[in-house]
Amino acid sequence: MLRIIISVMKVPAIEMTNVTKVFPGVIANDRVCFIVEQGEIHALLGENGAGKSTLMSILFGLYTVDSGVIKIMGKEVKIRSPNDATTLKIGMVHQHFKLVHNFTVTENIILGMESHDRFGNLSLKAAEKRVADLSETYGLSVNPQVRIENISVGMQQRVEILKILYRNANILIFDEPTAVLTPQEIDELLLILKKLKAEGKTIVFITHKLKEIKAAADRCTILRRGRSVDTVKVSETSEEELVEKMVGRVVSLRLDKKPIQLGDEVLRIEDLVVSGARSTPAVRGLSLEVRSGEILGIAGVDGNGQTELVEAIVGLRSAKSGRIFFKGKDISKESIRARNKNGIGLVPEDRHKHGLILDFRIDENLIPKNFHENPYSIYGFLQFKNIVSHVENLITQFDIRAGNGPTTLVKSMSGGNQQKVVIAREIDLSPELLIVSQPTRGLDVGAIEYIHKRIIEERDKGRGVLLVSFELDEILSLCDRIATISKGVITGVISAQDADERKIGAMMAD
Ligand SMILES: Nc1ncnc2c1ncn2[C@@H]1O[C@H](COP(=O)(O)OP(=O)(O)OP(=O)(O)O)[C@@H](O)[C@H]1O
Ligand SMILES: [Mg+2]
């Protein structure tokens, strides 16, 4: 009885009422109401640009509200900086980690709150012990003494989690934590979230993956175009219902594909060897071919040579040995520009590093690569009208959402909309060989549906498509043939009709 009364009396951990935040040209949060109970895992779902990151950045003190009330543990608060948030025991794991690579785990964790002994030396031992204890309590398996540069992305994320636990956070915010993880790491993270919850922590979890919400969250709040439309109990709501609330229409999660019309070979790779970051071979004698009219998928666990393979094909990394043929011609020695001009397009896996110039505007990032040709340039004069209408057309087609239209700075856009800019530019060129690496990372389901359709259209036009993805679902639904990669070689190729998750898993393990 007492327990029931106590649980009824529990105040919400977070209570945001009518929170509004306006950026130039866009109302990112429009009178949003968001209530998270203590000790729950609460998912935050919404299309790209719906206002999820903004709402959480407000809670973490990165932005201040224009209006609205925020209560933490029942008390009204003003959160003006991340320091205020830390004092309120709120911590955030950002999508792009902020770790110092040549520091150890513990050094990173204590950064900004180091304590010294009476001789002025950093007292690391006590900190290391505490990090080890926290790691043990939450099942994180992090070694406090290793350097960040020597651990995987998944481990780095755990260091970020430890960093906020070390500062005694009770409310933990995760902004798309699974976007950078492999399927296995995702499963492990979901277990960690549950463990945190079992230890009494309150968790906000932003993700576009409905499966993850179903697997881990208790309740889910849906944002649509800056507004909170509903909060539901996850166990009582189907994936389809969640999607419908989020986009306001039914999204088909199944793809229709015409029968394959195989053409000539576009890409052939023979015995390719490529060095990795540490000059050990990452690709070790790999051979494969892609023909026009097909989508060949490369399935594999991150770090098995996928990145180096793609970089070698487009010329970002040189091959140590082996040959790369594009339409029958050896291009192994050609420049990046020549390969691109001859018809190899790339949607790179890291949109910030290789896909975009963040300080430039959308139109500048979308300017056609053939801007010096008719109709964008005539007699050496740029034809701005034609360029603008081309850019506007892409923005509409790909549903790129940004406050100030074509002149919006890319760095101020939501993550998913940045990704759409890269994809729009590359698919629009319709190259004869289109390489897409993790194309739908960070995209909402509606956007994924559209991008998948456009990739299939390219295939139907007779282009060759090489898809690299860690997501088996994506590989299985898009591809005509699937090759598995492991330790830098192709371990098997299978027709998509004969493939399922289990078979591919087994091929990957070979
Ligand atoms: N610093 C900023 N300056 C200007 N506009 C911004 C800024 N940050 C966000 N916006 C705009 O606010 C809106 C909401 O963006 P937000 O990043 O919160 O979306 P999101 O729901 O996190 O989307 P995604 O799923 O793509 O990450 C977008 O239209 C975005 O362009
Ligand atoms: Mg976001």
Side-chain angles (χ1 to χ4, degrees):
M1 186 63 189
L2 194 59
R3 266 177 90 165
I4 295 173
I5 293 172
I6 289 173
S7 73
V8 169
M9 280 168 47
K10 258 192 184 173
V11 292
I14 305 168
E15 198 174 351
M16 301 176 94
T17 313
N18 290 326
V19 164
T20 295
K21 177 74 192 172
V22 180
F23 291 117
V26 52
I27 309 181
N29 289 156
D30 185 2
R31 288 160 288 160
V32 170
C33 294
F34 182 56
I35 297 177
V36 179
E37 302 296 343
Q38 290 180 47
E40 72 168 335
I41 300 180
H42 198 115
L44 191 52
L45 178 70
E47 289 181 297
N48 296 127
K52 304 175 297 290
S53 296
T54 304
L55 190 70
M56 290 304 103
S57 299
I58 289 172
L59 204 54
F60 190 59
L62 294 169
Y63 297 139
T64 46
V65 288
D66 295 332
S67 59
V69 177
I70 303 174
K71 288 184 182 172
I72 298 298
M73 303 300 281
K75 264 187 39 201
E76 189 172 336
V77 293
K78 297 263 182 277
I79 310 175
R80 294 190 187 85
S81 70
N83 278 340
D84 287 353
T86 306
T87 310
L88 290 164
K89 302 195 171 179
I90 301 171
M92 183 157 173
V93 174
H94 299 273
Q95 204 178 328
H96 298 107
F97 309 146
K98 302 174 185 323
L99 299 170
V100 185
H101 277 222
N102 54 354
F103 277 22
T104 68
V105 165
T106 305
E107 285 164 351
N108 266 284
I109 289 173
I110 62 175
L111 204 62
M113 52 187 297
E114 306 87 344
S115 57
H116 296 86
D117 65 17
R118 60 199 169 94
F119 304 110
N121 296 321
L122 199 60
S123 42
L124 263 182
K125 277 277 157 286
E128 270 173 7
K129 168 90 176 57
R130 179 138 184 260
V131 170
D133 288 349
L134 283 170
S135 167
E136 169 83 31
T137 309
Y138 297 98
L140 298 172
S141 314
V142 171
N143 174 351
Q145 289 163 344
V146 290
R147 278 182 207 285
I148 297 299
E149 60 199 2
N150 294 327
I151 60 180
S152 67
V153 169
M155 272 295 163
Q156 291 180 19
Q157 186 175 64
R158 295 182 189 192
V159 176
E160 291 280 2
I161 300 175
L162 278 170
K163 201 168 166 180
I164 56 182
L165 290 171
Y166 194 87
R167 286 159 181 73
N168 300 313
N170 275 333
I171 298 173
L172 284 74
I173 305 166
F174 292 85
D175 192 352
E176 289 192 50
T178 57
V180 290
L181 300 183
T182 62
Q184 196 202 336
E185 286 173 333
I186 292 175
D187 291 343
E188 289 168 9
L189 177 70
L190 297 183
L191 285 179
I192 291 169
L193 296 186
K194 288 180 183 169
K195 183 91 183 155
L196 288 163
K197 170 184 154 176
E199 297 292 328
K201 306 287 181 192
T202 302
I203 289 160
V204 181
F205 175 35
I206 300 180
T207 179
H208 290 293
K209 314 257 180 61
L210 302 156
K211 259 200 221 159
E212 294 168 8
I213 295 180
K214 288 300 265 183
D218 300 298
R219 293 195 305 152
C220 175
T221 291
I222 300 107
L223 295 187
R224 194 196 307 162
R225 299 190 182 240
R227 300 215 174 146
S228 41
V229 291
D230 206 353
T231 296
V232 297
K233 255 185 137 166
V234 171
S235 60
E236 294 167 1
T237 317
S238 70
E239 290 189 20
E240 287 75 15
E241 284 168 323
L242 287 173
V243 173
E244 216 181 317
K245 284 181 194 296
M246 173 178 136
V247 292
R249 68 180 169 97
V250 180
V251 171
S252 124
L253 300 170
R254 285 181 49 90
L255 287 169
D256 291 324
K257 259 170 46 181
K258 289 191 202 134
I260 188 162
Q261 293 267 331
L262 266 187
D264 295 338
E265 173 188 288
V266 243
L267 175 74
R268 180 155 44 93
I269 295 177
E270 287 176 357
D271 278 327
L272 185 71
V273 177
V274 188
S275 300
R278 284 175 210 292
S279 67
T280 47
V283 176
R284 307 159 190 244
L286 180 147
S287 303
L288 65 79
E289 56 158 66
V290 180
R291 292 172 66 180
S292 69
E294 76 164 337
I295 304 177
L296 174 74
I298 304 229
V301 174
D302 190 12
N304 275 287
Q306 295 94 321
T307 309
E308 291 82 0
L309 169 65
V310 168
E311 290 182 354
I313 301 172
V314 298
L316 279 165
R317 196 178 273 272
S318 58
K320 277 196 106 157
S321 61
R323 299 207 289 174
I324 303 169
F325 295 90
F326 175 59
K327 294 195 294 178
K329 183 174 163 230
D330 188 347
I331 56 158
S332 332
K333 300 277 177 298
E334 282 188 359
S335 67
I336 302 175
R337 190 174 166 80
R339 296 186 208 201
N340 183 269
K341 203 163 165 357
N342 289 335
I344 302 182
L346 169 69
V347 173
E349 61 176 14
D350 187 333
R351 60 176 167 252
H352 283 173
K353 249 195 227 155
H354 299 301
L356 293 165
I357 308 176
L358 290 174
D359 286 321
F360 280 24
R361 312 182 323 191
I362 299 185
D363 52 3
E364 291 164 331
N365 273 282
L366 275 181
I367 272 189
K369 281 193 181 156
N370 46 348
F371 68 91
H372 48 282
E373 290 167 10
N374 200 337
Y376 307 116
S377 173
I378 297 176
Y379 300 125
F381 292 99
L382 285 178
Q383 303 297 306
F384 287 104
K385 236 174 92 190
N386 293 342
I387 292 179
V388 168
S389 79
H390 175 79
V391 166
E392 279 174 350
N393 186 5
L394 287 183
I395 290 177
T396 316
Q397 270 184 50
F398 285 81
D399 192 19
I400 298 170
R401 297 190 196 168
N404 293 329
T407 59
T408 310
L409 286 183
V410 166
K411 69 175 169 199
S412 78
M413 298 169 70
S414 80
N417 280 296
Q418 291 178 350
Q419 179 71 1
K420 289 189 207 167
V421 172
V422 182
I423 295 194
R425 186 185 60 217
E426 297 301 322
I427 291 191
D428 178 61
L429 286 172
S430 192
E432 276 177 79
L433 173 64
L434 175 66
I435 306 175
V436 282
S437 202
Q438 318 298 344
T440 54
R441 211 179 230 182
L443 293 189
D444 67 55
V445 285
I448 292 177
E449 178 196 33
Y450 180 71
I451 300 300
H452 281 174
K453 272 195 193 141
R454 290 294 304 254
I455 292 176
I456 291 175
E457 264 174 47
E458 288 308 299
R459 159 209 191 248
D460 292 344
K461 272 192 224 161
R463 312 296 186 228
V465 181
L466 181 67
L467 165 77
V468 179
S469 176
F470 304 141
E471 289 200 40
L472 271 187
D473 287 349
E474 177 161 61
I475 296 245
L476 282 166
S477 63
L478 266 185
C479 296
D480 300 300
R481 286 192 305 141
I482 300 165
T484 48
I485 190 169
S486 176
K487 301 196 182 86
V489 292
I490 299 294
T491 52
V493 183
I494 186 173
S495 142
Q497 286 161 344
D498 306 327
D500 57 36
E501 260 183 54
R502 200 185 42 78
K503 275 191 197 151
I504 293 182
M507 279 161 60
M508 264 159 31
D510 278 350

